[in-house]
Amino acid sequence: MPNIKIFSGSSHRELSHKIADRLGMELGKVVTKKFSNQETCVEIGESVRGEDVYIVQSGCGEINDNLMELLIMINACKIASASRVTAVIPCFPYARQDKKDKVGSRAPISAKLVANMLSVSGADHIITMDLHASQIQGFFDIPVDNLYAEPAVLKWIKENIPEWKNCTIVSPDAGGAKRVTSIADRLNVDFALIHKERKKANEVDRMVLVGDVTDRVAILVDDMADTCVSPREPWLISAGATKVYAILTHGIFSGPAISRINNACFEAVVVTNTIPQEEKMKTCPKIQVIDISMILAEAIRRTHNGESVSYLFSHVPL
Amino acid sequence: MSTGMNHTKGGLLIFTANSHPSSRELSKRIAERLGVELGKVQVYQEDNRETRVQIQESVRGKDVFIIQTMSKDVNTTIMELLIMVYACRTSCARSITGVLPYFPYSKQCKMRKRGSIVTKLLASMMCKAGLSHLITMDLHQKEIQGFFNIPVDNLRASPFLLQYIQEEIPDYRNAVIVAKSPASAKRAQSFAERLRLGIAVIHGEAQDAESDLVDGRHSPPTVKTTGAIHPSMEIPLLIPKEKPPITVVGDVGGRIAIIVDDIIDDVDSFLAAAETLKERGAYKIFIMATHGILSSDAPRLIEESPIHQVVVTNTIPHELQKLQCPKIQTVDISMILSEAIRRIHNGESMSYLFANIGVDD
């Protein structure tokens, strides 16, 4: 494909390599390093004049450093006369600070700040996956493609869970009900959700299951797993589930999450590779990874050629 | 200095968005001088390394001053500042002034091959987040003021450094102000004028990587291609820069040498200059710099070198480096920052703070 260049930030190089392989091209040469005073330095190693540039950087690991690196790279390409700069951000940083909650009306809406920063640095287009709230698309004035990992998740369920026809999709809280019902409808199975009844603030509360999991495989579905604080699966097992799977799009797994998963009785914890999982898989054998590089690669190809991207919302490219 | 604040103008709030305790020292001193308490805010990093800012008092209708010193983790400090500024803006603060004694990424203020002008990017981001005024000190290049479309006050630390020279160096009248490269000659000259001393300029040391690429992108390409358009239309090649041997222009024999610069970070060039000055007969060597970043093993190298003392201001916290190298002395500049905050809040003139500053400083 002519006139296209893909650059990778330092947050998730394996995903960028996979995307470039799928598109049949090499990653662009870029040098990212830090000076001794910890300032980030980016130098693009080839000409981008008049090219359609895609920069792949995920919001994971050292988030502030990776975010600065992404902004500096976008700015460097823009002032080097690239014709269009698209930021491909599989896991959008600060997505959970997207509203003022009642705890402090002085809370910053950091997701809006990040949107401003991306626009100011010169991005013309954003491609991301499973935003925590799809309203974040509205924080931008530039086009945002919010891709879904759902088709890949459905494919994984059909291929790897033998009893999928008789399972129940469970949402860990009331907020994820929409996501779960959409998956349950496509698989033609039942769904359930877990509802926390909070008696007092900071008191661990009763969990009420709305729906039925007796003698079925329960599949917990959520968009991200960070500290994995409140365990739900022992509770699902005691409610009658035979096996419990957890499927999440973004596996952040910070702090003591890995040890919590190892001590829990999940059959498997399945995440996509929006965030690098190599290290975590070594310490936790229950983690399995769904590869979504083909969805991102196909989105890049279609955006570059000016074709429709809506095919990707319901199909997984081969 | 009277500490009576003019509270009828909506009140003054001073915050610091630094999460690291050593970075909060300067803010505490400034707040003490102004006679106010630091505003209550919680800044911390969550498990997944995202920054979280929680302001714990009302900022509605107030003039907010956010003091942010750059620590070892520059990118996190920048994010903390931006999130704090944005939080104040969406909580209806009347005006938000950023006090950044050292402006980060100020060395990446020029176009280099296919790099980014990060200082301009930072300026746009700060203005977009809601900053309405910026106070900083000794910007690496004064032109950085033009990157902002908000007012920028570029204060000077030179009066404090000059006072240190006059009070703490016993025979300063026998000193020579030295510029370690021709780029800092203007600054050396402005110091020398105010102290009525001579100057010396060192030329020809190994240029560091930044100034090599200062010409921007190499256009036309330096490689001669065969098949030129027309023999007489060949564009002349750029002659590559040669490195002349180190020379000192000016006399330092039997005198104290005071090297003056704005930032001291990688000390290799300073060490080379010190060696040269020692050879030429200087008996004591001082280094005066506004911003003491002193990263990686700078303290150890300074300790082992013939340099007598390194004097920096407290714009950047350097307690750890002082422990490793007792030659480092600190000059406190919280007075000028607190005076600037007071004058801006009360709407008074700032020209007193620039009284003895020369054109080239």
Side-chain angles (χ1 to χ4, degrees):
Chain A
M1 283 188 291
N3 284 343
I4 177 173
K5 288 250 164 34
I6 303 186
F7 293 102
S8 169
S10 50
S11 64
H12 200 354
R13 289 201 198 275
E14 309 96 61
L15 181 65
S16 317
H17 278 297
K18 284 191 184 165
I19 293 176
D21 282 340
R22 292 251 173 202
L23 291 168
M25 44 189 288
E26 297 277 324
L27 280 180
K29 293 187 221 355
V30 61
V31 173
T32 56
K33 63 181 204 290
K34 279 188 160 193
F35 288 119
S36 59
N37 63 351
Q38 305 300 310
E39 285 183 6
T40 309
C41 169
V42 166
E43 203 171 293
I44 314 278
E46 36 188 271
S47 171
V48 293
R49 192 176 285 271
E51 308 266 344
D52 196 8
V53 174
Y54 292 82
I55 301 176
V56 182
Q57 177 85 315
S58 192
C60 57
E62 276 297 330
I63 293 192
N64 295 331
D65 284 338
N66 290 333
L67 183 59
M68 271 314 274
E69 202 185 83
L70 172 65
L71 294 168
I72 295 178
M73 252 202 234
I74 295 175
N75 191 248
C77 290
K78 197 74 189 177
I79 61 179
S81 310
S83 77
R84 181 174 67 167
V85 179
T86 302
V88 181
I89 311 174
C91 181
F92 194 80
Y94 289 92
R96 277 173 290 168
Q97 299 184 30
D98 61 347
K99 56 183 175 296
K100 289 191 177 204
D101 38 10
K102 59 185 181 323
V103 175
S105 63
R106 296 173 213 109
I109 309 177
S110 307
K112 169 67 175 162
L113 177 69
V114 172
N116 283 349
M117 282 159 58
L118 285 166
S119 308
V120 152
S121 70
D124 298 304
H125 191 114
I126 310 282
I127 298 179
T128 179
M129 180 167 269
D130 267 350
L131 276 173
H132 184 59
S134 43
Q135 284 73 22
I136 296 178
Q137 282 179 303
F139 288 165
F140 292 86
D141 286 324
I142 52 177
V144 176
D145 284 320
N146 184 15
L147 303 170
Y148 296 122
E150 191 183 296
V153 164
L154 291 169
K155 186 165 156 232
W156 191 92
I157 293 179
K158 287 187 193 170
E159 287 174 1
N160 292 287
I161 300 182
E163 321 90 344
W164 67 269
K165 292 207 172 107
N166 194 27
C167 67
T168 307
I169 317 282
V170 185
S171 164
D173 53 34
K178 248 179 69 168
R179 187 181 305 120
V180 154
T181 46
S182 143
I183 295 187
D185 287 345
R186 284 194 212 271
L187 289 174
N188 221 351
V189 294
D190 293 332
F191 81 97
L193 64 89
I194 299 179
H195 172 59
K196 269 197 247 196
E197 265 186 11
R198 207 160 260 171
K199 306 271 171 134
K200 279 194 300 209
N202 292 337
E203 198 191 62
V204 171
D205 24 53
R206 264 181 2 117
M207 296 221 227
V208 178
L209 179 70
V210 179
D212 185 28
V213 288
T214 44
D215 294 329
R216 285 164 180 241
V217 172
I219 306 181
L220 271 173
V221 174
D222 204 354
D223 64 337
M224 49 177 78
D226 192 0
T227 47
C228 302
V229 159
S230 32
R232 287 179 179 75
E233 83 306 341
W235 195 78
L236 283 170
I237 302 252
S238 63
T242 53
K243 280 196 259 186
V244 181
Y245 289 84
I247 303 188
L248 317 136
T249 308
H250 304 299
I252 305 173
F253 298 136
S254 54
I258 298 286
S259 55
R260 287 206 182 103
I261 295 177
N262 277 334
N263 295 338
C265 35
F266 284 113
E267 188 71 23
V269 173
V270 188
V271 290
T272 66
N273 59 350
T274 47
I275 294 177
Q277 302 291 340
E278 295 296 317
E279 291 300 313
K280 295 167 201 151
M281 279 168 76
K282 288 182 197 160
T283 48
C284 180
K286 293 189 193 171
I287 296 182
Q288 296 180 31
V289 174
I290 301 178
D291 183 23
I292 43 86
S293 62
M294 62 288 210
I295 304 182
L296 291 169
E298 196 56 25
I300 292 176
R301 200 179 67 82
R302 281 163 181 260
T303 312
H304 178 64
N305 291 337
E307 298 165 14
S308 158
V309 172
S310 12
Y311 174 80
L312 296 174
F313 294 148
S314 45
H315 299 87
V316 184
L318 292 163
Chain B
M1 184 186 80
S2 81
T3 51
M5 304 299 310
N6 183 358
H7 286 289
T8 57
K9 270 198 177 190
L12 167 74
L13 272 181
I14 305 204
F15 287 108
T16 171
N18 286 112
S19 52
H20 208 263
S22 67
S23 316
R24 302 171 79 103
E25 275 310 305
L26 181 64
S27 321
K28 285 195 198 138
R29 282 195 199 202
I30 294 175
E32 256 175 55
R33 283 190 189 264
L34 287 167
V36 294
E37 297 272 327
L38 272 182
K40 293 186 222 359
V41 63
Q42 270 199 323
V43 181
Y44 57 94
Q45 287 210 299
E46 297 181 322
D47 279 329
N48 65 347
R49 320 289 297 138
E50 279 185 11
T51 302
R52 176 89 50 179
V53 170
Q54 283 167 351
I55 307 179
Q56 285 158 337
E57 48 184 288
S58 171
V59 297
R60 191 177 287 270
K62 302 253 170 72
D63 287 334
V64 177
F65 289 81
I66 302 176
I67 305 175
Q68 188 77 347
T69 50
M70 291 297 133
S71 66
K72 200 166 54 77
D73 219 342
V74 180
N75 295 333
T76 303
T77 325
I78 293 172
M79 276 308 286
E80 287 166 357
L81 172 70
L82 290 171
I83 295 181
M84 180 94 192
V85 168
Y86 191 62
C88 292
R89 188 166 82 119
T90 53
S91 312
C92 304
R94 201 166 75 116
S95 74
I96 307 169
T97 304
V99 182
L100 272 67
Y102 172 66
F103 194 79
Y105 286 92
S106 49
K107 284 199 168 179
Q108 296 189 39
C109 58
K110 288 201 179 90
M111 180 92 121
R112 267 196 279 149
K113 286 203 175 167
R114 287 185 208 98
S116 159
I117 309 178
V118 189
T119 325
K120 169 64 177 167
L121 175 64
L122 268 186
S124 309
M125 295 200 314
M126 287 184 191
C127 296
K128 190 81 186 190
L131 211 58
S132 52
H133 196 124
L134 180 71
I135 303 176
T136 181
M137 184 169 267
D138 272 341
L139 276 173
H140 186 55
Q141 296 285 342
K142 294 200 208 52
E143 289 74 15
I144 295 177
Q145 288 177 307
F147 288 163
F148 293 84
N149 48 14
I150 53 172
V152 176
D153 284 308
N154 183 19
L155 303 170
R156 306 295 201 278
S158 54
F160 293 88
L161 296 174
L162 288 167
Q163 191 185 29
Y164 184 91
I165 294 178
Q166 288 169 321
E167 289 177 1
E168 305 283 336
I169 300 182
D171 34 350
Y172 79 92
R173 288 180 214 283
N174 190 28
V176 169
I177 308 288
V178 180
K180 78 162 164 69
S181 71
S184 31
K186 275 172 42 167
R187 183 181 295 270
Q189 210 218 351
S190 87
F191 268 68
E193 258 176 31
R194 283 179 273 175
L195 288 170
R196 297 182 215 284
L197 296 172
I199 69 165
V201 178
I202 299 179
H203 178 55
E205 54 188 346
Q207 305 285 341
D208 52 84
E210 295 173 51
S211 40
D212 256 347
L213 307 174
V214 138
D215 347 348
R217 294 182 235 164
H218 289 299
S219 91
T222 49
V223 176
K224 242 188 176 178
T225 52
T226 54
I229 314 162
H230 192 276
S232 63
M233 274 177 63
E234 270 179 21
I235 307 163
L237 292 172
L238 283 172
I239 303 172
K241 283 187 187 174
E242 275 181 13
K243 297 174 190 168
I246 297 189
T247 48
V248 178
V249 178
D251 180 29
V252 292
R255 293 176 183 258
I256 299 176
I258 305 178
I259 305 178
V260 168
D261 211 343
D262 57 343
I263 298 176
I264 174 166
D265 186 11
D266 269 332
V267 290
D268 295 330
S269 48
F270 287 95
L271 294 175
E275 293 294 336
T276 313
L277 290 168
K278 195 121 185 107
E279 281 171 28
R280 295 282 196 283
Y283 66 91
K284 259 196 200 175
I285 301 171
F286 288 81
I287 300 184
M288 320 280 296
T290 308
H291 305 295
I293 305 178
L294 299 165
S295 51
S296 62
D297 52 345
R300 187 182 56 84
L301 292 169
I302 294 175
E303 188 66 23
E304 297 168 0
S305 71
I307 298 172
H308 183 74
Q309 255 189 14
V310 173
V311 182
V312 291
T313 67
N314 55 352
T315 47
I316 297 180
H318 50 271
E319 291 308 313
L320 203 58
Q321 286 91 329
K322 269 176 98 162
L323 288 174
Q324 292 174 325
C325 174
K327 290 185 187 176
I328 301 176
Q329 300 290 324
T330 311
V331 171
D332 179 29
I333 43 85
S334 58
M335 186 169 90
I336 195 174
L337 288 170
S338 55
E339 190 61 20
I341 292 176
R342 199 178 69 82
R343 284 170 185 252
I344 288 175
H345 176 64
N346 291 339
E348 295 166 15
S349 161
M350 296 258 279
S351 20
Y352 173 72
L353 302 174
F354 297 95
N356 287 330
I357 309 294
V359 171
D360 291 327
D361 186 5

